[in-house]
Amino acid sequence: MSNNAFSIDLSRLKKQPKTSSTKDTDQVAEELGFSSREIVKKRGRKPSPRTGQVHAKVMPDTSVEIANEAKRRGVQQGVLIEEAWQLYKQNMVTK
């Protein structure tokens, strides 16, 4: 062996086989605190297909009537607005 403190005796190094199983690798990684490779689904509520917002200012009495009708039918106020718009478009076509 040489007297140099930074030299490495390559003959003393031993080759060790690596595990080829990803299950073993993932298990060891999990035990060491690394995150999983699996795709994680988003948690929480799913996005609504109704993403467009309409901020209609209406007279107070109209607002109360819309709110009451939505509550009576068990739907959101936006559903009433969508239905009213469909009726408006149908009437415009027939004129």
Side-chain angles (χ1 to χ4, degrees), residues 4-95:
N4 188 351
F6 297 104
S7 67
I8 297 173
D9 183 9
L10 295 178
S11 64
R12 292 181 48 208
L13 296 177
K14 293 184 180 179
K15 183 177 180 181
Q16 295 181 352
K18 294 183 178 180
T19 59
S20 60
S21 171
T22 56
K23 182 178 180 183
D24 293 338
T25 305
D26 289 343
Q27 188 177 19
V28 170
E30 188 175 319
E31 289 171 2
L32 293 174
F34 290 95
S35 61
S36 172
R37 293 181 183 183
E38 299 295 321
I39 297 173
V40 179
K41 292 183 179 181
K42 286 186 178 180
R43 294 171 45 181
R45 288 176 49 172
K46 296 188 182 202
S48 170
R50 289 186 164 91
T51 56
Q53 293 185 358
V54 177
H55 299 282
K57 286 192 173 188
V58 296
M59 298 302 285
D61 57 329
T62 305
S63 172
V64 170
E65 290 174 358
I66 291 173
N68 288 340
E69 179 64 14
K71 188 181 290 185
R72 183 185 71 78
R73 292 179 45 196
V75 297
Q76 298 291 321
Q77 293 178 16
V79 173
L80 295 180
I81 294 171
E82 289 171 354
E83 291 173 356
W85 184 249
Q86 291 300 321
L87 289 170
Y88 171 78
K89 289 193 314 185
Q90 289 173 2
N91 287 337
M92 292 305 293
V93 171
T94 59
K95 288 185 178 184

